[in-house]
Amino acid sequence: GENVEQHPSTLSVQEGDSAVIKCTYSDSASNYFPWYKQELGKRPQLIIDIRSNVGEKKDQRIAVTLNKTAKHFSLHITETQPEDSAVYFCAARAGTALIFGKGTTLSVSS
Amino acid sequence: GAVVSQHPSRVICKSGTSVKIECRSLDFQATTMFWYRQFPKQSLMLMATSNEGSKATYEQGVEKDKFLINHASLTLSTLTVTSAHPEDSSFYICSAFLAGVAGEQFFGPGTRLTVL
C-alpha cells in the first residue's frame, strides 16, 4: 500500500520568512496530493491540493509542487504569519483513501 | 462545500463498555466513508474504508471485531468501539468521499473518546 514520508517534523521560522515542507510517496498510482492544516482538537482543513497532471499550483502565499518522476511533492508558504502556526499534513491518494504523512509542526514567531 | 457531521463530539466511558460514533454527510450522498484514528501529536491513521451496503475494508492491524463499522445508508456510517479499553482513547475522525471529477474528501469534526 501507499506510504507517505514527511519532513521536517518541526519547523520554526521568523514572521515573514518562507517555510517549505516536503513529502515523498511510494505508490506510483497515486494521483491526488492534498495538504491539510490542523489546529489542536479540530478537523484537518484542506489548504491546497494538486493532481498528477499538474506540476505546480499556487494560491496566494501557498504553493505546491509535484515531481512525479521522483515521487515527491512540497508545500511552500511565503511571507509566513503567526496565524500560520499549526500542524500541516501531506497526503496521497491512489484509489479513494487518503494516506497521511506524519505531520509538520510549524511555529512562526513574530 | 460539503458538510460532514459527527456525533458525539466527546465521550467518556468506562473500560469494558461499547461506544458508537456516528458520521453523517449532511448535503450529499457518500457511497464511501473512511474512519481515521489520531493519537496525541500523531498523524491520522486510516482504520477502515466503509462502503454503503457492503462490509468495511479494514487496514492491517485494525481488529474488525473490535471496531464495528456499519454503512447502512448513503449518508450515515457508524463506528462502534466494543469493549473499550484505556488504550482506545483517541480522536476518531470520519471522512466522506464525494465522487466525481474532483473526487474530494470531506472530514467530520472528530470525536474525542476517553476510556477510564
Side-chain angles (χ1 to χ4, degrees), chain B residues 16 20 27 34 44 70 92 95 101 103 110:
Chain B
K20 180 186 282 188
D27 51 3
F34 305 94
L44 286 81
N70 185 286
Y92 291 86
S95 70
V101 175

Side-chain angles (χ1 to χ4, degrees), chain B residues 38-71:
Chain B
Q38 186 176 32
F39 291 111
K41 297 187 178 182
Q42 293 189 24
S43 185
L44 286 81
M45 298 301 296
L46 180 66
M47 299 177 66
T49 301
S50 169
N51 293 298
E52 188 266 338
S54 63
K55 291 184 178 180
T57 302
Y58 290 82
E59 295 299 300
Q60 192 172 11
V62 178
E63 300 175 57
K64 62 180 181 180
D65 294 330
K66 181 170 181 62
F67 299 98
L68 302 179
I69 291 172
N70 185 286
H71 194 158

Side-chain angles (χ1 to χ4, degrees), chain A residues 2-7 22-26 70-73 90:
Chain A
E2 177 65 276
N3 182 49
V4 179
E5 299 285 339
Q6 182 172 347
H7 298 281
K22 298 182 179 182
C23 288
T24 60
Y25 61 98
S26 61
K71 289 192 276 189
H72 67 70
F73 56 113
C90 64

Side-chain angles (χ1 to χ4, degrees), chain A residues 49-108:
Chain A
D49 57 12
I50 191 167
R51 298 180 191 277
S52 59
N53 58 347
V54 176
E56 184 174 357
K57 183 177 178 180
K58 189 174 182 179
D59 182 5
Q60 299 184 336
R61 297 186 297 111
I62 296 173
V64 57
T65 59
L66 171 65
N67 183 325
K68 286 172 53 181
T69 302
K71 289 192 276 189
H72 67 70
F73 56 113
S74 301
L75 176 71
H76 304 252
I77 306 175
T78 58
E79 301 172 29
T80 54
Q81 301 166 1
E83 49 266 38
D84 293 329
S85 297
V87 181
Y88 291 81
F89 292 99
C90 64
R93 184 177 74 199
T96 53
L98 287 173
I99 303 301
F100 286 81
K102 291 187 182 299
T104 297
T105 301
L106 173 64
S107 300
V108 181

